[in-house]
Amino acid sequence: MRTHDPLTRRQYMIRFGGFCATAGGGAILAAPAAQAGGRRDRDHDRAREALERGEALPLAEVLARVRPELGGEVVGVDFERERGGRWVYEFKVIGPTGRLVEVYVDAATARVLSRRTE
């Protein structure tokens, strides 16, 4: 497992919005990667590296841009790479009817790509 300079990790978490980012009237509370483990830890590392390489925008910035288009309260976020190499934020959103909707957003442009209702 790689170790990170605490200041670098702290700066990343502040910039990337890993501790808390508001969405609509609610808030997303995400555990620090060290506590979340498994896939979340890999998501954190991949997102940090993509951000450092300029391949992705910070989560807080993407949320600020797409919040009006999400249509509900964000309850989860994943960070994935598509087959073509594009990084995508997958927002899990509870809509006004209580249904879970997955909203896929291009991490580099903050453009909504698609939605899928669960």
Side-chain angles (χ1 to χ4, degrees):
M1 180 173 184
R2 292 181 5 206
T3 58
H4 301 283
D5 176 68
L7 183 58
T8 303
R9 180 168 279 214
R10 180 177 178 276
Q11 288 173 334
Y12 165 77
M13 294 302 287
I14 290 168
R15 283 188 209 141
F16 204 69
F19 286 113
C20 178
T22 60
I28 307 168
L29 299 177
Q35 294 175 358
R39 179 185 169 130
R40 300 283 181 222
D41 192 31
R42 288 189 307 274
D43 278 0
H44 167 82
D45 288 337
R46 289 183 310 176
R48 180 185 47 76
E49 291 165 0
L51 183 66
E52 288 173 354
R53 287 189 307 266
E55 297 173 355
L57 296 170
L59 175 59
E61 184 176 335
V62 171
L63 269 172
R65 290 184 189 187
V66 301
R67 186 173 291 129
E69 300 176 60
L70 294 178
E73 182 177 343
V74 177
V75 295
V77 180
D78 285 329
F79 188 73
E80 302 171 348
R81 188 165 210 143
E82 289 186 338
R83 269 185 238 176
R86 172 178 27 199
W87 288 106
V88 174
Y89 286 108
E90 177 187 327
F91 293 100
K92 291 175 178 45
V93 179
I94 301 294
T97 63
R99 296 193 79 170
L100 179 66
V101 178
E102 292 177 349
V103 182
Y104 298 88
V105 177
D106 186 305
T109 65
R111 185 175 62 89
V112 174
L113 300 170
S114 65
R115 298 172 184 276
R116 189 173 84 198
T117 303
E118 292 289 306

Short mmCIF file of all heavy atoms in Angstrom, two decimals, residues 60-110:
data_model
loop_
_atom_site.label_atom_id
_atom_site.label_comp_id
_atom_site.label_asym_id
_atom_site.label_seq_id
_atom_site.Cartn_x
_atom_site.Cartn_y
_atom_site.Cartn_z
N ALA A 60 -15.97 18.50 -5.82
CA ALA A 60 -16.73 19.67 -5.38
C ALA A 60 -17.09 20.58 -6.55
O ALA A 60 -18.20 21.12 -6.63
CB ALA A 60 -15.96 20.44 -4.31
N GLU A 61 -16.16 20.74 -7.49
CA GLU A 61 -16.41 21.57 -8.66
C GLU A 61 -17.46 20.94 -9.58
O GLU A 61 -18.36 21.62 -10.09
CB GLU A 61 -15.11 21.80 -9.43
CG GLU A 61 -15.27 22.75 -10.61
CD GLU A 61 -13.95 23.05 -11.30
OE1 GLU A 61 -12.88 22.95 -10.66
OE2 GLU A 61 -14.01 23.40 -12.49
N VAL A 62 -17.36 19.63 -9.79
CA VAL A 62 -18.34 18.94 -10.62
C VAL A 62 -19.73 19.03 -9.99
O VAL A 62 -20.72 19.33 -10.66
CB VAL A 62 -17.94 17.46 -10.85
CG1 VAL A 62 -19.04 16.68 -11.53
CG2 VAL A 62 -16.65 17.40 -11.66
N LEU A 63 -19.81 18.81 -8.68
CA LEU A 63 -21.10 18.92 -8.00
C LEU A 63 -21.70 20.32 -8.14
O LEU A 63 -22.90 20.46 -8.37
CB LEU A 63 -20.95 18.59 -6.51
CG LEU A 63 -21.17 17.15 -6.12
CD1 LEU A 63 -20.80 16.93 -4.66
CD2 LEU A 63 -22.58 16.69 -6.40
N ALA A 64 -20.87 21.33 -8.00
CA ALA A 64 -21.37 22.71 -8.13
C ALA A 64 -21.95 22.95 -9.52
O ALA A 64 -22.96 23.65 -9.66
CB ALA A 64 -20.24 23.70 -7.84
N ARG A 65 -21.35 22.35 -10.53
CA ARG A 65 -21.82 22.54 -11.91
C ARG A 65 -23.09 21.75 -12.23
O ARG A 65 -23.94 22.23 -12.95
CB ARG A 65 -20.73 22.16 -12.91
CG ARG A 65 -19.56 23.11 -12.93
CD ARG A 65 -18.61 22.68 -14.01
NE ARG A 65 -17.35 23.40 -13.98
CZ ARG A 65 -16.42 23.27 -14.91
NH1 ARG A 65 -16.60 22.46 -15.94
NH2 ARG A 65 -15.30 23.94 -14.83
N VAL A 66 -23.18 20.52 -11.74
CA VAL A 66 -24.29 19.65 -12.16
C VAL A 66 -25.43 19.54 -11.15
O VAL A 66 -26.45 18.94 -11.46
CB VAL A 66 -23.80 18.22 -12.53
CG1 VAL A 66 -22.80 18.28 -13.65
CG2 VAL A 66 -23.26 17.49 -11.32
N ARG A 67 -25.26 20.09 -9.98
CA ARG A 67 -26.28 19.96 -8.93
C ARG A 67 -27.70 20.23 -9.44
O ARG A 67 -28.61 19.44 -9.17
CB ARG A 67 -25.95 20.86 -7.74
CG ARG A 67 -26.90 20.65 -6.58
CD ARG A 67 -26.47 21.41 -5.34
NE ARG A 67 -25.25 20.81 -4.82
CZ ARG A 67 -24.15 21.50 -4.54
NH1 ARG A 67 -24.09 22.79 -4.73
NH2 ARG A 67 -23.09 20.88 -4.06
N PRO A 68 -27.93 21.32 -10.21
CA PRO A 68 -29.30 21.58 -10.68
C PRO A 68 -29.85 20.48 -11.61
O PRO A 68 -31.06 20.30 -11.70
CB PRO A 68 -29.18 22.90 -11.44
CG PRO A 68 -27.92 23.53 -10.95
CD PRO A 68 -27.02 22.40 -10.57
N GLU A 69 -28.97 19.74 -12.27
CA GLU A 69 -29.40 18.70 -13.20
C GLU A 69 -29.59 17.33 -12.55
O GLU A 69 -30.12 16.42 -13.18
CB GLU A 69 -28.37 18.55 -14.32
CG GLU A 69 -28.15 19.80 -15.15
CD GLU A 69 -27.05 19.60 -16.17
OE1 GLU A 69 -27.19 18.70 -17.01
OE2 GLU A 69 -26.05 20.33 -16.10
N LEU A 70 -29.15 17.18 -11.30
CA LEU A 70 -29.19 15.87 -10.67
C LEU A 70 -30.61 15.44 -10.29
O LEU A 70 -30.93 14.27 -10.30
CB LEU A 70 -28.26 15.82 -9.45
CG LEU A 70 -26.77 15.95 -9.79
CD1 LEU A 70 -25.94 15.95 -8.51
CD2 LEU A 70 -26.33 14.84 -10.73
N GLY A 71 -31.45 16.39 -9.91
CA GLY A 71 -32.84 16.07 -9.64
C GLY A 71 -33.12 15.37 -8.32
O GLY A 71 -34.08 14.62 -8.21
N GLY A 72 -32.31 15.61 -7.32
CA GLY A 72 -32.56 15.00 -6.02
C GLY A 72 -31.36 15.13 -5.10
O GLY A 72 -30.46 15.92 -5.34
N GLU A 73 -31.37 14.29 -4.07
CA GLU A 73 -30.30 14.32 -3.07
C GLU A 73 -29.25 13.26 -3.38
O GLU A 73 -29.58 12.08 -3.55
CB GLU A 73 -30.88 14.06 -1.68
CG GLU A 73 -29.85 14.14 -0.59
CD GLU A 73 -30.45 13.95 0.79
OE1 GLU A 73 -31.66 14.08 0.95
OE2 GLU A 73 -29.67 13.66 1.71
N VAL A 74 -28.01 13.69 -3.46
CA VAL A 74 -26.90 12.76 -3.73
C VAL A 74 -26.62 11.96 -2.47
O VAL A 74 -26.40 12.52 -1.40
CB VAL A 74 -25.64 13.52 -4.19
CG1 VAL A 74 -24.49 12.54 -4.41
CG2 VAL A 74 -25.92 14.31 -5.46
N VAL A 75 -26.64 10.62 -2.62
CA VAL A 75 -26.39 9.75 -1.47
C VAL A 75 -25.12 8.91 -1.64
O VAL A 75 -24.73 8.20 -0.72
CB VAL A 75 -27.60 8.83 -1.18
CG1 VAL A 75 -28.80 9.67 -0.75
CG2 VAL A 75 -27.95 7.97 -2.38
N GLY A 76 -24.50 9.00 -2.82
CA GLY A 76 -23.27 8.25 -3.05
C GLY A 76 -22.58 8.69 -4.33
O GLY A 76 -23.24 9.22 -5.22
N VAL A 77 -21.27 8.46 -4.38
CA VAL A 77 -20.49 8.81 -5.56
C VAL A 77 -19.43 7.73 -5.78
O VAL A 77 -18.76 7.32 -4.85
CB VAL A 77 -19.77 10.17 -5.38
CG1 VAL A 77 -18.95 10.51 -6.62
CG2 VAL A 77 -20.74 11.28 -5.05
N ASP A 78 -19.32 7.27 -7.04
CA ASP A 78 -18.24 6.38 -7.44
C ASP A 78 -17.43 7.08 -8.52
O ASP A 78 -17.93 7.99 -9.20
CB ASP A 78 -18.78 5.07 -8.01
CG ASP A 78 -19.32 4.14 -6.93
OD1 ASP A 78 -18.82 4.18 -5.80
OD2 ASP A 78 -20.26 3.39 -7.23
N PHE A 79 -16.19 6.65 -8.69
CA PHE A 79 -15.30 7.22 -9.71
C PHE A 79 -14.82 6.06 -10.56
O PHE A 79 -14.18 5.14 -10.05
CB PHE A 79 -14.13 7.94 -9.03
CG PHE A 79 -13.26 8.71 -9.97
CD1 PHE A 79 -13.70 9.89 -10.53
CD2 PHE A 79 -12.00 8.25 -10.29
CE1 PHE A 79 -12.89 10.62 -11.39
CE2 PHE A 79 -11.18 8.97 -11.15
CZ PHE A 79 -11.63 10.16 -11.70
N GLU A 80 -15.15 6.07 -11.85
CA GLU A 80 -14.85 4.93 -12.71
C GLU A 80 -14.22 5.38 -14.02
O GLU A 80 -14.42 6.51 -14.45
CB GLU A 80 -16.14 4.17 -13.04
CG GLU A 80 -16.88 3.69 -11.82
CD GLU A 80 -18.26 3.14 -12.13
OE1 GLU A 80 -18.74 3.33 -13.27
OE2 GLU A 80 -18.85 2.53 -11.24
N ARG A 81 -13.51 4.47 -14.66
CA ARG A 81 -12.95 4.73 -15.98
C ARG A 81 -13.71 3.88 -16.99
O ARG A 81 -13.82 2.66 -16.82
CB ARG A 81 -11.47 4.39 -16.02
CG ARG A 81 -10.82 4.82 -17.32
CD ARG A 81 -9.31 4.81 -17.21
NE ARG A 81 -8.82 5.84 -18.11
CZ ARG A 81 -7.79 6.61 -17.87
NH1 ARG A 81 -7.13 6.49 -16.75
NH2 ARG A 81 -7.41 7.51 -18.74
N GLU A 82 -14.24 4.53 -18.02
CA GLU A 82 -14.95 3.81 -19.07
C GLU A 82 -13.97 3.13 -20.00
O GLU A 82 -12.77 3.45 -20.00
CB GLU A 82 -15.83 4.77 -19.86
CG GLU A 82 -17.02 5.28 -19.09
CD GLU A 82 -17.95 6.11 -19.97
OE1 GLU A 82 -17.51 6.64 -21.00
OE2 GLU A 82 -19.13 6.22 -19.60
N ARG A 83 -14.46 2.23 -20.85
CA ARG A 83 -13.60 1.51 -21.79
C ARG A 83 -12.78 2.43 -22.68
O ARG A 83 -11.65 2.15 -22.98
CB ARG A 83 -14.43 0.60 -22.68
CG ARG A 83 -14.56 -0.75 -22.09
CD ARG A 83 -15.27 -1.66 -23.03
NE ARG A 83 -16.42 -2.14 -22.29
CZ ARG A 83 -17.34 -2.90 -22.77
NH1 ARG A 83 -17.29 -3.27 -24.02
NH2 ARG A 83 -18.32 -3.31 -22.02
N GLY A 84 -13.35 3.54 -23.10
CA GLY A 84 -12.64 4.48 -23.97
C GLY A 84 -11.60 5.31 -23.24
O GLY A 84 -10.90 6.12 -23.86
N GLY A 85 -11.49 5.15 -21.94
CA GLY A 85 -10.49 5.88 -21.17
C GLY A 85 -11.02 7.10 -20.44
O GLY A 85 -10.29 7.74 -19.69
N ARG A 86 -12.28 7.44 -20.65
CA ARG A 86 -12.86 8.62 -20.01
C ARG A 86 -13.18 8.31 -18.54
O ARG A 86 -13.71 7.26 -18.21
CB ARG A 86 -14.15 9.00 -20.75
CG ARG A 86 -14.93 10.07 -20.04
CD ARG A 86 -16.17 10.55 -20.71
NE ARG A 86 -16.85 9.63 -21.58
CZ ARG A 86 -17.73 9.99 -22.49
NH1 ARG A 86 -18.03 11.25 -22.67
NH2 ARG A 86 -18.33 9.10 -23.25
N TRP A 87 -12.85 9.26 -17.65
CA TRP A 87 -13.19 9.15 -16.24
C TRP A 87 -14.61 9.66 -16.04
O TRP A 87 -14.99 10.69 -16.60
CB TRP A 87 -12.23 9.97 -15.37
CG TRP A 87 -10.86 9.36 -15.28
CD1 TRP A 87 -9.73 9.80 -15.89
CD2 TRP A 87 -10.49 8.20 -14.54
NE1 TRP A 87 -8.67 8.98 -15.58
CE2 TRP A 87 -9.12 7.98 -14.74
CE3 TRP A 87 -11.19 7.32 -13.72
CZ2 TRP A 87 -8.43 6.94 -14.16
CZ3 TRP A 87 -10.50 6.27 -13.14
CH2 TRP A 87 -9.13 6.08 -13.35
N VAL A 88 -15.37 8.94 -15.21
CA VAL A 88 -16.77 9.27 -14.99
C VAL A 88 -17.09 9.24 -13.49
O VAL A 88 -16.68 8.32 -12.78
CB VAL A 88 -17.69 8.26 -15.73
CG1 VAL A 88 -19.15 8.49 -15.40
CG2 VAL A 88 -17.46 8.33 -17.23
N TYR A 89 -17.80 10.28 -13.03
CA TYR A 89 -18.38 10.25 -11.69
C TYR A 89 -19.75 9.62 -11.82
O TYR A 89 -20.55 10.01 -12.67
CB TYR A 89 -18.55 11.65 -11.12
CG TYR A 89 -17.27 12.31 -10.69
CD1 TYR A 89 -16.74 13.36 -11.43
CD2 TYR A 89 -16.60 11.91 -9.54
CE1 TYR A 89 -15.57 13.99 -11.03
CE2 TYR A 89 -15.43 12.53 -9.14
CZ TYR A 89 -14.92 13.57 -9.89
OH TYR A 89 -13.77 14.20 -9.50
N GLU A 90 -20.05 8.65 -10.99
CA GLU A 90 -21.37 8.04 -10.95
C GLU A 90 -22.04 8.51 -9.65
O GLU A 90 -21.65 8.12 -8.56
CB GLU A 90 -21.27 6.51 -10.95
CG GLU A 90 -22.60 5.82 -10.82
CD GLU A 90 -22.45 4.32 -10.66
OE1 GLU A 90 -21.51 3.73 -11.21
OE2 GLU A 90 -23.28 3.75 -9.95
N PHE A 91 -23.01 9.40 -9.80
CA PHE A 91 -23.74 9.92 -8.64
C PHE A 91 -24.97 9.07 -8.41
O PHE A 91 -25.75 8.83 -9.33
CB PHE A 91 -24.17 11.38 -8.87
CG PHE A 91 -23.02 12.33 -8.94
CD1 PHE A 91 -22.54 12.77 -10.16
CD2 PHE A 91 -22.42 12.79 -7.79
CE1 PHE A 91 -21.47 13.65 -10.23
CE2 PHE A 91 -21.35 13.68 -7.84
CZ PHE A 91 -20.88 14.11 -9.07
N LYS A 92 -25.15 8.61 -7.18
CA LYS A 92 -26.38 7.91 -6.80
C LYS A 92 -27.28 8.97 -6.15
O LYS A 92 -26.90 9.59 -5.16
CB LYS A 92 -26.05 6.78 -5.86
CG LYS A 92 -25.28 5.67 -6.57
CD LYS A 92 -24.83 4.59 -5.64
CE LYS A 92 -24.12 3.46 -6.32
NZ LYS A 92 -23.12 3.79 -7.29
N VAL A 93 -28.44 9.17 -6.75
CA VAL A 93 -29.33 10.26 -6.37
C VAL A 93 -30.70 9.70 -6.00
O VAL A 93 -31.25 8.86 -6.73
CB VAL A 93 -29.48 11.26 -7.54
CG1 VAL A 93 -30.42 12.39 -7.18
CG2 VAL A 93 -28.12 11.80 -7.96
N ILE A 94 -31.25 10.15 -4.89
CA ILE A 94 -32.63 9.83 -4.52
C ILE A 94 -33.49 10.96 -5.05
O ILE A 94 -33.36 12.11 -4.62
CB ILE A 94 -32.81 9.69 -3.00
CG1 ILE A 94 -31.91 8.60 -2.43
CG2 ILE A 94 -34.29 9.43 -2.67
CD1 ILE A 94 -32.25 7.20 -2.89
N GLY A 95 -34.36 10.64 -6.01
CA GLY A 95 -35.23 11.63 -6.63
C GLY A 95 -36.41 11.98 -5.75
O GLY A 95 -36.62 11.38 -4.69
N PRO A 96 -37.23 12.95 -6.17
CA PRO A 96 -38.37 13.41 -5.38
C PRO A 96 -39.40 12.31 -5.09
O PRO A 96 -40.12 12.37 -4.11
CB PRO A 96 -38.99 14.52 -6.22
CG PRO A 96 -38.19 14.64 -7.45
CD PRO A 96 -37.07 13.67 -7.41
N THR A 97 -39.44 11.29 -5.94
CA THR A 97 -40.38 10.18 -5.72
C THR A 97 -39.79 9.09 -4.85
O THR A 97 -40.45 8.10 -4.56
CB THR A 97 -40.81 9.57 -7.07
OG1 THR A 97 -39.65 9.02 -7.71
CG2 THR A 97 -41.48 10.59 -7.97
N GLY A 98 -38.53 9.25 -4.44
CA GLY A 98 -37.87 8.26 -3.59
C GLY A 98 -37.14 7.18 -4.36
O GLY A 98 -36.57 6.28 -3.77
N ARG A 99 -37.13 7.26 -5.67
CA ARG A 99 -36.43 6.27 -6.49
C ARG A 99 -34.95 6.61 -6.60
O ARG A 99 -34.58 7.77 -6.65
CB ARG A 99 -37.03 6.22 -7.89
CG ARG A 99 -38.49 5.75 -7.84
CD ARG A 99 -38.97 5.40 -9.16
NE ARG A 99 -38.45 4.06 -9.47
CZ ARG A 99 -38.83 3.34 -10.50
NH1 ARG A 99 -39.72 3.82 -11.33
NH2 ARG A 99 -38.33 2.16 -10.72
N LEU A 100 -34.13 5.56 -6.67
CA LEU A 100 -32.69 5.74 -6.83
C LEU A 100 -32.37 5.89 -8.31
O LEU A 100 -32.81 5.09 -9.14
CB LEU A 100 -31.92 4.54 -6.28
CG LEU A 100 -30.41 4.59 -6.42
CD1 LEU A 100 -29.82 5.72 -5.57
CD2 LEU A 100 -29.79 3.27 -6.02
N VAL A 101 -31.63 6.94 -8.64
CA VAL A 101 -31.22 7.21 -10.01
C VAL A 101 -29.70 7.32 -10.01
O VAL A 101 -29.12 7.98 -9.15
CB VAL A 101 -31.83 8.53 -10.54
CG1 VAL A 101 -31.36 8.81 -11.96
CG2 VAL A 101 -33.35 8.48 -10.46
N GLU A 102 -29.06 6.65 -10.97
CA GLU A 102 -27.62 6.79 -11.15
C GLU A 102 -27.40 7.79 -12.28
O GLU A 102 -27.94 7.63 -13.37
CB GLU A 102 -26.98 5.45 -11.50
CG GLU A 102 -27.03 4.48 -10.34
CD GLU A 102 -26.47 3.11 -10.69
OE1 GLU A 102 -26.23 2.83 -11.89
OE2 GLU A 102 -26.29 2.32 -9.76
N VAL A 103 -26.63 8.84 -11.98
CA VAL A 103 -26.35 9.87 -12.97
C VAL A 103 -24.86 9.83 -13.27
O VAL A 103 -24.04 9.96 -12.36
CB VAL A 103 -26.76 11.28 -12.46
CG1 VAL A 103 -26.49 12.33 -13.52
CG2 VAL A 103 -28.23 11.30 -12.04
N TYR A 104 -24.53 9.62 -14.55
CA TYR A 104 -23.13 9.50 -14.97
C TYR A 104 -22.67 10.83 -15.55
O TYR A 104 -23.31 11.38 -16.45
CB TYR A 104 -23.00 8.38 -16.01
CG TYR A 104 -23.39 7.04 -15.43
CD1 TYR A 104 -24.71 6.61 -15.46
CD2 TYR A 104 -22.44 6.23 -14.83
CE1 TYR A 104 -25.08 5.39 -14.90
CE2 TYR A 104 -22.79 5.01 -14.27
CZ TYR A 104 -24.12 4.61 -14.31
OH TYR A 104 -24.47 3.40 -13.75
N VAL A 105 -21.55 11.35 -15.01
CA VAL A 105 -21.06 12.67 -15.37
C VAL A 105 -19.59 12.56 -15.80
O VAL A 105 -18.78 11.96 -15.08
CB VAL A 105 -21.20 13.65 -14.18
CG1 VAL A 105 -20.63 15.01 -14.52
CG2 VAL A 105 -22.65 13.76 -13.75
N ASP A 106 -19.26 13.15 -16.94
CA ASP A 106 -17.89 13.18 -17.42
C ASP A 106 -17.04 13.95 -16.40
O ASP A 106 -17.33 15.11 -16.09
CB ASP A 106 -17.84 13.88 -18.79
CG ASP A 106 -16.46 13.83 -19.42
OD1 ASP A 106 -15.49 14.27 -18.77
OD2 ASP A 106 -16.37 13.40 -20.57
N ALA A 107 -16.02 13.31 -15.87
CA ALA A 107 -15.19 13.92 -14.82
C ALA A 107 -14.34 15.07 -15.32
O ALA A 107 -13.95 15.94 -14.55
CB ALA A 107 -14.31 12.86 -14.17
N ALA A 108 -14.04 15.11 -16.61
CA ALA A 108 -13.19 16.16 -17.16
C ALA A 108 -13.98 17.42 -17.54
O ALA A 108 -13.44 18.52 -17.49
CB ALA A 108 -12.43 15.66 -18.38
N THR A 109 -15.27 17.25 -17.90
CA THR A 109 -16.05 18.39 -18.40
C THR A 109 -17.25 18.73 -17.53
O THR A 109 -17.87 19.77 -17.73
CB THR A 109 -16.58 18.09 -19.82
OG1 THR A 109 -17.50 17.00 -19.75
CG2 THR A 109 -15.44 17.79 -20.77
N ALA A 110 -17.61 17.86 -16.60
CA ALA A 110 -18.80 18.02 -15.76
C ALA A 110 -20.09 17.98 -16.58
O ALA A 110 -21.10 18.54 -16.20
CB ALA A 110 -18.73 19.28 -14.90
#
